[in-house]
Amino acid sequence: MTFASLGLAAPLLQALEALGYQTPTPIQTQAIPAVLAGRDLMAAAQTGTGKTAGFALPVLQRLSEGEKAGSNSIRALVLVPTRELAEQVHASCRQYGEHLSVSTYAAYGGVSINPQMMRLRRGVDLLVATPGRLLDLFRQNALKLKHVEVLVLDEADRMLDLGFAQELSTVFAALPKLRQTLLFSATFSEEIRSLAKGRLRDPLSIEVAPRNSTVKAIKQWAVPVDKKRKSELFLFMLKDRKWGQVLVFVKTKKGADELVARLQAKKIAADTIHGDRPQAARQRALDSFKAGEVQILVATDVAARGIDIDDLPQVVNFDLPIVAEDYIHRIGRTGRAGASGEAISLVCADEAPLLTAIETLLKQPLEREEEPGFEPEHRVPATAPGAKAKPKKPKAVGGRSGKSVPDNWVGFDAPAASKGRRSSGKPRGR
Ligand code: AMP
């Protein structure tokens, strides 16, 4: 199978060749001809499957064939849950569309809205945006949605997790009825199905396994430990097992900052990405990690979602995720492209319900291996995968209280949980 045989035009093939893409991935093989033919799509695919090129290539081709966007208009709208993903998807679109005359732009919260308004005046063929900022721009008449020909919802499940359901409904209501809609989601829950209901026309359903066909290539285990000794255990394992670069997931922004401070105190190059850090700082941290200058990147789920970090030998869950599905996203960062990987979860007694939820999702218990010298005083209770014990959600909190709250609950470009509404969209921390 070649990209040419899928019907892609020469300028795109040229870009793909320069990027070294030789064969289309399964999702690309299925999605590209369907999107070129104008069909709607419901695709179950995670990061790592090549889904971005799966929609970006045919959408760019379709855009290159029509008239350019008029003032304040956009022709294709790609909605994504996070700023990082917006940047990343936009960067891919620019690469793929290098030899096409299709204008692209990314708009997201956390940075000043004015340059975005200025840029939109000239019209943009393909806009990648987070839902909150898109609506801010729309409400301020910086962009019109009535000329949108294609809507892409990327990581739709995550957008719903972040509380963007209302924003998505508002966007749908403002879009023309006659349009192409492509929906990508890692999971297809009831909520996703109801979001799609009546909004997609005879969609082609595509389901592909992640490129790493996850679980098998990854050795996963849990290390029972007392909560207060987690940092000490992490430092011990890092040294004892001679780990190189590690991506570490924590639950809260505060927890991320604390761990990084402890690592830095030991002269370990560590940085963090979480929703309270300005976009530029997050991007810098990510770039330094990718360049190998930072050994330990500490991330919250929201900030890390969708970012393209490949082939890490170890991913550590310093805290278990509140949402069990995030476990799959987290560990997908290791063991990619056939490489073997390890996903280690440091689990304390309080986290037993979260562990149960993960094991239920995995349909198997996580093996437990105590680390000698770190045996917990508070035993982690036996888990019962399959039991319907949903972990309790923490109470909603005010964004700036400094309290330890999960990163997906406040701030960022996501809704303030306490109000059930999106945050102001104003730049944060600047
Ligand atoms: P995605 O699932 O869209 O996040 O893509 C994951 C990674 O795979 C990105 O780094 C892409 O550049 C890369 N990629 C996507 N399609 C191909 C392909 N056909 N051949 C090689 N690499 C690809």
Side-chain angles (χ1 to χ4, degrees):
M1 183 64 70
T2 62
F3 282 107
S5 68
L6 299 177
L8 291 176
L12 289 166
L13 298 177
Q14 198 186 337
L16 292 177
E17 198 178 328
L19 290 169
Y21 290 17
Q22 285 168 354
T23 23
T25 65
I27 192 155
Q28 291 161 1
T29 307
Q30 295 178 67
I32 292 171
V35 177
L36 286 175
R39 274 199 81 166
D40 283 5
L41 218 63
M42 282 273 269
Q46 297 181 3
T47 304
T49 52
K51 68 184 166 74
T52 314
F55 65 77
L57 291 167
V59 167
L60 286 164
Q61 177 150 329
R62 298 203 73 194
L63 293 173
S64 73
E65 287 158 358
E67 268 183 33
K68 304 211 52 74
S71 169
N72 291 102
S73 280
I74 53 177
R75 296 168 59 210
L77 172 62
V78 182
L79 285 177
V80 297
T82 65
R83 305 168 196 174
E84 276 78 10
L85 195 56
E87 275 291 348
Q88 196 172 295
V89 168
H90 181 232
S92 297
C93 290
R94 283 178 64 161
Q95 287 180 320
Y96 302 147
E98 201 194 337
H99 307 292
L100 293 174
S101 157
V102 173
S103 57
T104 63
Y105 189 60
Y108 42 79
V111 294
S112 170
I113 198 167
N114 292 333
Q116 298 176 353
M117 296 174 87
M118 298 275 284
R119 173 60 191 88
L120 286 165
R121 274 191 209 158
R122 282 182 279 136
V124 169
D125 293 319
L126 184 153
L127 178 71
V128 186
T130 50
R133 181 51 61 97
L134 180 91
L135 277 190
D136 279 347
L137 289 161
F138 178 64
R139 290 191 176 120
Q140 298 190 41
N141 295 320
L143 64 82
K144 299 176 227 166
L145 293 174
K146 60 182 182 218
H147 301 300
V148 170
E149 299 157 36
V150 189
L151 169 71
V152 182
L153 300 175
D154 192 11
E155 303 205 352
D157 51 346
R158 193 54 173 181
M159 288 198 271
L160 294 184
D161 285 350
L162 289 174
F164 283 130
Q166 185 56 48
E167 279 82 354
L168 294 180
S169 291
T170 311
V171 174
F172 271 116
L175 290 173
K177 290 267 171 300
L178 199 64
R179 55 155 203 271
Q180 187 175 16
T181 309
L182 316 177
L183 188 152
F184 289 79
S185 184
T187 52
F188 272 88
S189 58
E190 261 320 298
E191 284 95 340
I192 292 286
R193 287 178 207 287
S194 71
L195 175 77
K197 207 164 172 217
R199 288 164 169 162
L200 279 83
R201 277 173 304 126
D202 181 29
L204 175 71
S205 290
I206 300 181
E207 194 169 343
V208 294
R211 198 171 55 181
N212 55 2
S213 65
T214 328
V215 193
K216 285 184 206 95
I218 302 172
K219 175 170 157 46
Q220 308 169 57
W221 76 96
V223 188
V225 61
D226 284 332
K227 194 190 250 167
K228 60 178 190 299
R229 295 195 71 197
K230 279 191 177 184
S231 319
E232 198 189 334
L233 172 63
F234 176 70
L235 278 161
F236 171 79
M237 292 182 82
L238 182 66
K239 204 160 163 230
D240 186 58
R241 293 169 185 248
K242 302 188 176 58
W243 285 340
Q245 279 199 302
V246 188
L247 179 61
V248 183
F249 285 97
V250 295
K251 190 169 57 183
T252 66
K253 303 165 194 175
K254 188 162 167 261
D257 288 337
E258 282 171 4
L259 181 59
V260 165
R262 281 198 75 150
L263 293 166
Q264 287 174 342
K266 298 264 176 207
K267 303 267 180 289
I268 295 167
D271 209 338
T272 171
I273 49 173
H274 63 61
D276 263 0
R277 296 199 72 190
Q279 174 61 22
R282 285 156 64 170
Q283 195 61 47
R284 259 200 315 278
L286 189 59
D287 291 344
S288 314
F289 186 66
K290 284 187 180 182
E293 295 152 14
V294 161
Q295 185 189 355
I296 312 291
L297 187 66
V298 182
T300 54
D301 287 299
V302 170
R305 179 68 184 233
I307 55 170
D308 186 21
I309 306 178
D310 255 349
D311 295 340
L312 287 168
Q314 277 88 25
V315 167
V316 170
N317 295 312
F318 190 88
D319 301 308
L320 288 184
I322 302 280
V323 179
E325 280 82 6
D326 280 336
Y327 179 84
I328 310 273
H329 293 297
R330 289 175 174 194
I331 70 165
R333 304 310 168 76
T334 183
R336 282 201 184 171
S340 62
E342 295 180 331
I344 304 104
S345 301
L346 313 187
V347 182
C348 65
D350 296 355
E351 291 175 306
L354 304 177
L355 185 59
T356 304
I358 290 164
E359 292 176 335
T360 304
L361 187 71
L362 294 176
K363 301 196 177 72
Q364 65 181 55
L366 269 190
E367 204 176 298
R368 296 187 187 193
E369 277 179 32
E370 285 186 350
E371 206 48 56
F374 289 90
E375 296 85 353
E377 278 173 29
H378 303 281
R379 256 181 36 77
V380 180
T383 44
K388 283 234 156 167
K390 264 209 152 181
K392 250 205 223 157
K393 288 181 174 180
K395 288 242 166 67
V397 280
R400 288 283 183 186
S401 64
K403 267 167 83 178
S404 240
V405 296
D407 196 12
N408 49 346
W409 290 60
V410 285
F412 201 36
D413 200 28
S418 52
K419 295 184 222 138
R421 287 277 316 129
R422 188 180 50 74
S423 61
S424 73
K426 294 216 173 73
R428 294 174 65 90
R430 294 194 182 181

